[in-house]
């Protein structure tokens, strides 16, 4: 059994990790920390967990975390970087669901997150936890940076074409729509129901922290630098990301060839579903499931539209973290992740 | 392996049965019928099922159903009654998620459903599939009437007090709030999003088919006839029933005694969760899970308020049906039903 | 022109007052205060107001408020009571949309609001601003306590029967469902979209501040003390209250007689709509409008169910406040309140 | 007084026309037709209208329509074209809220709407009812084609830059998000609440009827043909369109110059609101109001993102129709359209 800990267990990625890890056949959740809720039962906080054990929050205690096999950080940025090096030194593997290790370039991190990176050595050994593109690296990693939710949907959608050098520079656009849980479980007026329900708006159009992450990873996959436009929108829904991706082909490609390229790239991938050409995946088709569904369109020759949907809390966060954990511990990647999406 | 069939698999109880049965370790879904969708893949209809087999809809075929171990009817009332007797004669067990066998009194059925009952012998042997109160009968049954969604929530909430003779006649009120999926997957103008979203209304206040079902079962549990008021409301949510139950105690009972009565009654029940006294269960705490959460209040001495929540598609329909099937086939009642509710 | 001020203009009742008062033909909104937003344009905060003047928030300034004709308090309880006496002394009329003057009994106020009442003289002269029952008093009042949202819906629904002595004591139940805006515009985790959407729960079942208000006013209308059970529920909708009211008739009354009683009582009332017997009013039918729609049911002889719906921010708050203001200044009660509800 | 008729008054544009026309100071709604609901009161169908007259549906009767000053068609395509010529011959002005007269090219109409145009002369004299660009023509028109909802939002957003020749060909993208009321009030399974709520999906990505309309009008405004990509998405909200528009500048333009261009273009327009540069308009800021709010972004030099929001039923349908009517009858364009958006 893998003895796992969760640091920062009162947010949405925390409860989602518990939903996935508590029934996981090879994991025992030994510790879940929260300074604010220390001593409280986890299921008093999240009543959906009633009946699944008597886990209580504890204050963060390094000595205790040091004894574990793996620690998940479900914390705001700036926390994991302070604790990861010590844990690694003790042989504990670390999966950070926050942003501390996603940008390999510490300068880029400083610019977008407004703080210097305090663990550059750890950063250097961190691996980007998108198994579909970094499976080998994840398998050998001690420290995994779990991708952001938007980046997961965008990268999985764009990468097959970019990896083959098939898209023009300059016209890449990711118009993304997210459910509100992506903003976290925070006491913010702009997130309360009457502010968000029955309405749609864009945000961060001039710049969002997930853009440099997407650009860096896609540049790495393609093998040369690229820029894209990224526009996030807030939707009146709880979970889900819908990425609508626009690109211009460098050379003509039939619909069938396009479809074939994606089908081949993701054949055998347990968590990427290439739907029939011309489909319109709905975010509800992945609600609660660790899957990314992708559909392709070519409304006019050369103009490709890729639709990519995930559940931001599963394939976009906790599910992908468990997938990475499975990989790091040489378990079957699907273990504990066989949930069918809840529809309706 | 139990070879199971689903008749009428294009509605919400149908897809929910598939979500639960496809991963069930002792079940093989051999047949799913739909006249309208015959020949179509089930996952073309319900893309959440993509990756879980290649089941296709078939036209209803009695000869094929006859070979199965169990058939679930997820059909409007009036269908199961025509097919159940034949299946029973062939040794096939039947679980009807519709209303055909819920009212033991054929006259009552005719009055509320506007049609004569065409299978009175089958009706006579049908057992009401609420294992918490009819466990033994379900275990021996060949034909189970799966309870209605409202009745499940109301009966589980009221029954402990009524069984002990602790509530006055005459003041029993069940004020119930339901998500829209309870109305089924039907092309009705009054169910489209702009008609239902961001609004609340009551319906069927003067009379609803679930009232006689509740009254009959609670009368049976108490051992004498009773009447209650039942007011259903439509909520702008997908799944969930919240029953707010009012009763007047016949004799003083402390909060602790009240709590103790429920705790003892449901101790050991895997799918009924008695929360701490004074709790306020939210329907989202049971979303996707086969559980009924109950909380007790006594705002003024003698005035009891019982809050009871379920997911109408799980404990209120498909989950309870699987629970009944497990029981009928002597499997552990929890088998295949360990889903943690999806929160948020 | 009436020169009006709004104290506490950053919440939902504040913006709703502006929506109603800015186009009001006899009102000029001269001042709107907010300590936190002082100096900011109101329409930067509430962009729906763009194009309707250049009002800015100012810090609360008593000298300025003293020059006005009327001041609306859209503040948490405890604020209006400190300022009302001074304003009244200067001849300024006061309408408090908060709770400070709703409970005539200062002891009751202290018990439910956890603070001593600091303006008992003002409390003594305050009038309860439900024009349908206190029209004359409101017309003569200098200080009006605008009713709570739940009390408005419940009182308008129960009062016609209680005033005639037609309901039994002891079985009065108000099961109420409210949109989230009723909780105000506050940075609270339990109000954010992912906590509230697609879910329903009760709250305050053991005791809610609106219960003593309802009991006091209905007792006054009936002429003798009464108790009722009050259960509020939170709905995943922005605006709206749906009150489902239960009572037991003291003597038989036909459906027609029941309907007639309400029709006669509210004939001529511009803001109470008695719908045909057996109707099911939806909250969306009053969205944005200053109206209470009521429908009657008698599912079994003697068992009356009254459905009463309002928009909590209009007839339940700002609209009723404007109605009261019209009355206090001898304007037609309907002035500035002719909005048709937004449906869908 | 203008005597107005509405043909097809049971859908959402019909009820919205009534909400705007019933209180309009210069309009009397003399006729509203519906074959299906003939004889029924309009407010039995739409209870928000209770208290605003006793209009009843009548069967369509040409003789009666002939006596009116203006007829609004709120019908599916193919209806207005059969009746408009006769009405025009009688001197009745016609405003078609459907699609029959939006595409000046009858061949284009036939291709996208699957039927030959049966009134080519009327089509030739029809004017496109977007007063911000065709004010003079609307003022002189006898027959106005009210724009589609998506086209209104997209054209108002793109036109200022295109009219000045400032955008590159080839990279124009309109990624649009719509509330469900845009699909009309139809009994369709795919529109019921459980199918649409808490989910997002694109539709018609390969081709949507509003694309040729947008392309034709923008080509006309620019003075030369253009193509754009148009991707509509269905949002879990009742009303509202959010258009996210992407373009590449032909020559560098500072943010201030960009802002100035829009500010000048729409100065004096009562129903277009250019927000401060870098704003993020939410659809709720226009809920129920006849306004288009626009905000500009330039995330990277030359890459322009224009956000444009409307209420699809108001500025996207009924409100714009009333605006056109005002213009056709030489009334102030704002008359009867001063509603402040409902927020929250």
């Amino acid at each position: 059994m893998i003895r796992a800990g969760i640091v920062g267990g009162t947010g949405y990625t925390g409860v989602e990790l518990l939903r996935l890890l508590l029934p996981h056949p090879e994991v025992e959740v030994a510790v879940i920390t929260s300074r604010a809720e220390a001593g409280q039962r986890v299921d008093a906080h999240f009543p959906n967990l009633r009946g699944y054990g008597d886990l209580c929050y504890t204050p963060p205690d390094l000595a205790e975390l040091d004894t574990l096999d793996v620690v998940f950080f479900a914390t705001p940025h700036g926390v994991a970087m302070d604790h990861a090096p010590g844990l690694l030194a003790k042989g504990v593997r670390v999966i950070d669901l926050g942003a501390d290790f996603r940008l390999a370039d510490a300068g880029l991190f400083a610019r977008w997150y407004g703080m210097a990176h305090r663990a550059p050595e750890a950063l250097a050994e961190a691996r980007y936890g998108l198994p579909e593109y970094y499976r080998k690296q994840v398998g050998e990693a001690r420290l995994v940076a779990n991708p952001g939710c938007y980046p997961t949907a965008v990268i999985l959608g764009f990468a097959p074409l970019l990896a083959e050098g098939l898209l023009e520079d300059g016209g890449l656009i990711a118009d993304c729509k997210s459910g509100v849980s992506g903003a976290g479980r925070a006491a913010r007026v702009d997130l309360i129901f009457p502010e968000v329900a029955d309405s749609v708006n864009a945000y961060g159009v001039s710049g969002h922290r997930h853009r440099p992450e997407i650009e860096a990873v896609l540049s790495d996959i393609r093998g040369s630098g690229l820029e894209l436009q990224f526009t996030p929108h807030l939707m009146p829904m709880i979970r889900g990301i819908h990425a609508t991706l626009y690109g211009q082909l460098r050379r003509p490609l039939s619909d069938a060839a396009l479809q074939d390229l994606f089908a081949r790239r993701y054949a055998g991938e347990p968590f990427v579903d290439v739907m029939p050409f011309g489909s319109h995946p709905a975010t509800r088709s992945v609600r609660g499931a660790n899957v990314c569904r992708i559909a392709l369109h070519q409304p006019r020759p050369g103009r490709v539209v890729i639709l990519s949907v995930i559940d931001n809390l599963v394939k976009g966060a906790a599910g992908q973290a468990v997938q990475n954990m499975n990989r790091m511990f040489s378990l079957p990647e699907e273990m504990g992740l066989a949930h069918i999406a809840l529809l309706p």
Side-chain angles (χ1 to χ4, degrees), chain A:
Chain A
M1 292 290 275
I2 302 169
R3 294 185 67 246
I6 299 172
V7 176
T10 60
Y12 291 138
T13 47
V15 62
E16 195 68 357
L17 276 172
L18 290 173
R19 183 175 73 91
L20 302 175
L21 291 176
L22 290 178
H24 192 292
E26 293 291 336
V27 174
E28 175 207 359
V29 180
V31 181
I32 180 162
T33 78
S34 162
R35 219 173 290 272
E37 304 290 329
Q40 300 299 309
R41 288 179 63 97
V42 169
D43 62 8
H45 210 65
F46 294 119
N48 62 322
L49 301 174
R50 285 175 61 85
Y52 293 85
D54 357 288
L55 215 51
C56 288
Y57 290 112
T58 56
D61 172 351
L62 286 184
E64 193 177 20
L65 296 175
D66 281 354
T67 69
L68 302 174
D69 298 306
V70 63
V71 171
F72 295 88
F73 282 88
T75 46
H77 61 271
V79 174
M81 68 168 76
D82 286 339
H83 298 292
L87 290 168
L88 294 175
K90 296 286 185 177
V92 185
R93 289 200 178 95
V94 171
I95 300 175
D96 180 22
L97 285 82
D100 287 8
F101 301 101
R102 290 178 190 160
L103 296 176
D105 177 340
L108 205 58
F109 178 85
R111 185 147 80 251
W112 283 92
Y113 289 89
M115 56 169 66
H117 205 288
R118 297 188 294 268
E121 291 87 0
L123 181 58
E125 80 158 286
R127 293 297 170 261
Y128 194 71
L130 191 68
E132 288 77 6
Y133 286 89
Y134 299 97
R135 178 158 283 127
K136 186 164 174 301
Q137 294 89 323
V138 168
E140 298 164 352
R142 300 195 307 158
L143 167 57
V144 162
N146 214 54
C149 50
Y150 286 124
T152 298
V154 174
I155 294 166
L156 290 175
F158 264 140
L161 282 167
L162 286 169
E164 302 285 332
L166 287 167
L167 291 182
E168 295 281 4
D169 273 16
L172 300 175
I173 290 177
D175 189 286
C176 294
K177 297 90 180 164
S178 174
V180 187
S181 64
R185 194 166 170 278
R188 284 169 44 187
V189 167
D190 61 330
L191 298 181
I192 67 174
F193 187 91
E195 299 290 303
V196 170
D198 208 38
S199 188
V200 162
N201 61 272
Y203 66 99
V205 176
S206 301
H208 184 284
R209 288 161 172 175
H210 283 179
R211 195 184 75 195
E213 179 180 342
I214 297 168
E215 290 178 341
V217 178
L218 284 180
S219 295
D220 182 61
I221 289 172
R222 184 172 80 157
S224 65
L226 59 74
E227 288 187 349
L228 91 160
Q229 282 189 275
F230 171 59
T231 313
H233 299 75
L234 195 65
M235 300 289 108
M237 65 180 181
I238 300 173
R239 295 164 174 247
I241 284 182
H242 186 292
T244 312
L245 310 174
Y246 298 89
Q248 167 70 37
L249 291 178
R250 277 200 169 136
R251 56 175 177 82
L253 220 58
S254 70
D255 294 349
L258 208 51
Q259 179 73 10
D260 190 52
L261 183 113
F262 276 76
R264 274 185 293 110
R265 176 59 187 85
Y266 290 125
E269 282 297 344
F271 298 124
V272 180
D273 173 27
V274 181
M275 299 181 73
F277 192 89
S279 296
H280 297 103
T283 59
R284 67 183 191 134
S285 75
V286 299
R287 185 189 291 135
N290 191 54
V291 63
C292 175
R293 298 198 202 278
I294 293 176
L296 304 167
H297 294 256
Q298 190 171 201
R300 280 186 168 120
R303 300 278 174 196
V304 177
V305 182
I306 306 152
L307 310 178
S308 170
V309 303
I310 60 169
D311 183 325
N312 56 301
L313 294 179
V314 192
K315 184 61 178 164
Q320 186 140 271
V322 173
Q323 186 183 351
N324 283 320
M325 180 203 72
N326 285 342
R327 186 89 198 135
M328 292 164 88
F329 288 87
S330 304
L331 299 172
E333 221 166 293
E334 302 92 321
M335 187 175 276
L337 292 173
H339 308 77
I340 299 179
L342 202 66
L343 180 159

